[in-house]
Amino acid sequence: MPIVRNVSRAVSQLLQSSGCGCGISIVPVRCIGISPRQVASDASFHSVSFSESDHPRVLITGGLGQLGVGLAKLLRKRFGKNNVILSDIRKPADNVFYSGPFIYSDILDYKNLREIVVNNRITWLFHYSALLSAVGEANVPLARAVNITGLHNVLDIAAEHNLRLFVPSTIGAFGPTSPRDPTPDLCIQRPRTIYGVSKVHAELMGEVRTCFVFFHWCFGRISLYYHYRYGLDFRCLRYPGIISADSQPGGGTTDYAVQIFHDAIKTGKFECNLKPDTRLPMMYIDDCLKATLEVMEAPAEALSMRTYNISAMSFTPEELAQEVQKHVPELQVTYNVDAVRQAIADSWPMNFDDSNARRDWGWKHDYDLPELVSTMFSFLGSDSRIAQAN
């Protein structure tokens, strides 16, 4: 294959002439993974394409977290109720259980996960199982197992069975040495939390499973040839802080932006664990789910990279509180800074540069801060009135 040999030679020459003077050996072999469960070297690695009448068969891991239930609802509307399977290790609420297929799935149980994929003829996999930032710091061994070992199981199974795989990343994939305002798609990352480290690992593992060692920033769209010919169809979005009325805060550093709405309605008092001027990128959940579906449906030839930043707005706790007080003027806000969470937030981007996503596959958000706050109170306020009536 002369094209393969020529590109491999070009990569080798480029890296061996790098500014640091380090020579890096490029071996033209298919990079399938480092786990003991290797996929056969002659396996076919083509993406599965679908006609209008042939919908994907979807599995969502970690489905009872902040995003899984909402994503399942969106995908079932598009692809049919029985084509989307929600899974988790926890018992679902009745409304979730009866809304569509749900199964028990532990991502650390490779055999069980593989059986689910085979028995249900899965073609798309959304991998949402993870321990978030603050929770992960409190239990690093468990975070390492779930966020890294579980990811390897998913990658191996997705590669073996030709799945289109989505793995979310995060603002936590960046660190204090990253440019913060704005943060581009490609830059120094070096996060300081196990959550961030595991997400960078996921990004790179997804990229590296494209047959040959290469860097998409060197070759632009020529890397897509390798992806089509050999690679796992891996897609990834770096989410900002996600705000949703459908779920309770789950231990993330940006969860204050959800908690403030619950406290405003229930008690009229809110204690924030970040400094009032801590600016972070945020997004309403509907925009997040829309972006996830759009990048999964985007033609592979439109993607100039496999991991994209996406953003909608950026605000501080003080700015959010002022917008909330337009709806609840009596809300009292105090600040009791949590040192761990504050240190994490100070290492994260203040603003995301998502221009590549907007250019490549037409990403466009719908919710800015005023629309976000109004929508949250519309949902939570009606729920509160119903509860009071009951």
Side-chain angles (χ1 to χ4, degrees):
M1 293 184 293
I3 294 178
V4 172
R5 288 194 294 269
N6 290 340
V7 175
S8 179
R9 189 179 304 115
V11 174
S12 179
Q13 291 172 353
L14 175 67
L15 294 181
Q16 289 174 357
S17 61
S18 62
C20 65
C22 302
I24 302 176
S25 175
I26 304 298
V27 181
V29 294
R30 189 177 304 177
C31 297
I32 297 176
I34 58 174
S35 84
R37 293 179 294 272
Q38 292 294 325
V39 183
S41 61
D42 60 349
S44 172
F45 284 82
H46 61 276
S47 302
V48 179
S49 60
F50 305 97
S51 67
E52 290 296 320
S53 60
D54 187 14
H55 293 315
R57 294 277 298 167
V58 178
L59 175 66
I60 304 172
T61 67
L64 297 184
Q66 183 184 19
L67 300 176
V69 173
L71 179 64
K73 184 177 179 181
L74 176 66
L75 296 179
R76 284 167 179 164
K77 286 182 179 179
R78 190 167 187 87
F79 302 131
K81 176 179 176 179
N82 293 325
N83 284 324
V84 180
I85 301 174
L86 201 61
S87 72
D88 209 303
I89 60 173
R90 294 179 291 157
K91 181 180 178 181
D94 286 349
N95 65 309
V96 174
F97 184 78
Y98 292 111
S99 64
F102 179 91
I103 57 176
Y104 173 89
S105 176
D106 181 355
I107 60 165
L108 297 179
D109 186 340
Y110 177 85
K111 184 176 182 291
N112 170 252
L113 186 60
R114 193 167 184 259
E115 288 175 347
I116 291 171
V117 167
V118 171
N119 292 343
N120 294 280
R121 300 170 57 246
I122 298 301
T123 54
W124 283 15
L125 198 159
F126 292 82
H127 178 52
Y128 278 112
S129 296
L131 262 65
L132 301 182
S133 54
V135 174
E137 290 305 290
N139 194 340
V140 172
L142 180 60
R144 187 170 61 239
V146 173
N147 295 6
I148 296 179
T149 303
L151 169 74
H152 283 220
N153 288 341
V154 168
L155 285 169
D156 285 344
I157 291 169
E160 180 182 1
H161 296 285
N162 302 323
L163 307 186
R164 181 172 295 180
L165 174 64
F166 178 84
V167 179
S169 190
T170 167
I171 54 174
F174 297 95
T177 56
S178 306
R180 299 186 65 210
D181 191 15
T183 302
D185 286 304
L186 301 176
C187 65
I188 293 174
Q189 292 183 254
R190 303 187 69 81
R192 296 286 180 86
T193 66
I194 185 61
Y195 179 58
V197 169
S198 68
K199 287 303 183 182
V200 174
H201 178 76
E203 293 176 13
L204 296 178
M205 287 298 294
E207 296 265 1
V208 90
R209 287 168 172 268
T210 51
C211 94
F212 284 82
V213 178
F214 75 94
F215 294 89
H216 60 254
W217 47 264
C218 294
F219 291 97
R221 293 179 183 272
I222 198 168
S223 67
L224 294 176
Y225 168 78
Y226 297 134
H227 160 70
Y228 272 128
R229 180 64 179 85
Y230 302 102
L232 170 67
D233 193 350
F234 172 86
R235 303 177 185 212
C236 177
L237 296 178
R238 294 192 187 107
Y239 291 155
I242 304 301
I243 301 174
S244 167
D246 295 330
S247 59
Q248 294 292 324
T253 301
T254 59
D255 278 352
Y256 83 88
V258 177
Q259 190 66 53
I260 188 173
F261 293 98
H262 293 278
D263 290 355
I265 291 173
K266 292 178 181 178
T267 66
K269 298 179 180 180
F270 172 65
E271 182 179 271
C272 183
N273 52 31
L274 296 180
K275 295 178 182 177
D277 61 349
T278 305
R279 183 171 299 279
L280 293 169
M282 300 283 188
M283 179 178 288
Y284 184 57
I285 188 170
D286 285 9
D287 276 338
C288 172
L289 300 179
K290 182 182 78 166
T292 302
L293 178 56
E294 286 179 354
V295 77
M296 282 293 278
E297 291 190 316
E301 62 269 16
L303 305 180
S304 64
M305 55 188 63
R306 289 282 143 179
T307 299
Y308 289 90
N309 294 343
I310 55 167
S311 188
M313 66 194 87
S314 183
F315 55 75
T316 66
E318 185 175 44
E319 291 169 349
L320 176 60
Q322 290 171 355
E323 194 66 35
V324 169
Q325 286 169 335
K326 294 179 182 179
H327 297 259
V328 186
E330 64 275 17
L331 174 65
Q332 300 176 23
V333 179
T334 57
Y335 295 89
N336 182 16
V337 177
D338 180 279
V340 173
R341 282 181 166 84
Q342 187 64 51
I344 293 172
D346 289 342
S347 71
W348 283 358
M350 299 169 65
N351 285 287
F352 257 164
D353 176 1
D354 62 355
S355 56
N356 287 319
R358 294 177 185 268
R359 180 198 67 220
D360 287 359
W361 42 276
W363 160 240
K364 183 179 179 181
H365 70 278
D366 294 325
Y367 291 84
D368 291 312
L369 181 57
E371 292 82 10
L372 162 70
V373 173
S374 297
T375 303
M376 287 291 288
F377 277 118
S378 176
F379 278 105
L380 293 177
S382 61
D383 289 346
S384 176
R385 288 190 291 273
I386 292 172
Q388 290 173 1
N390 289 338

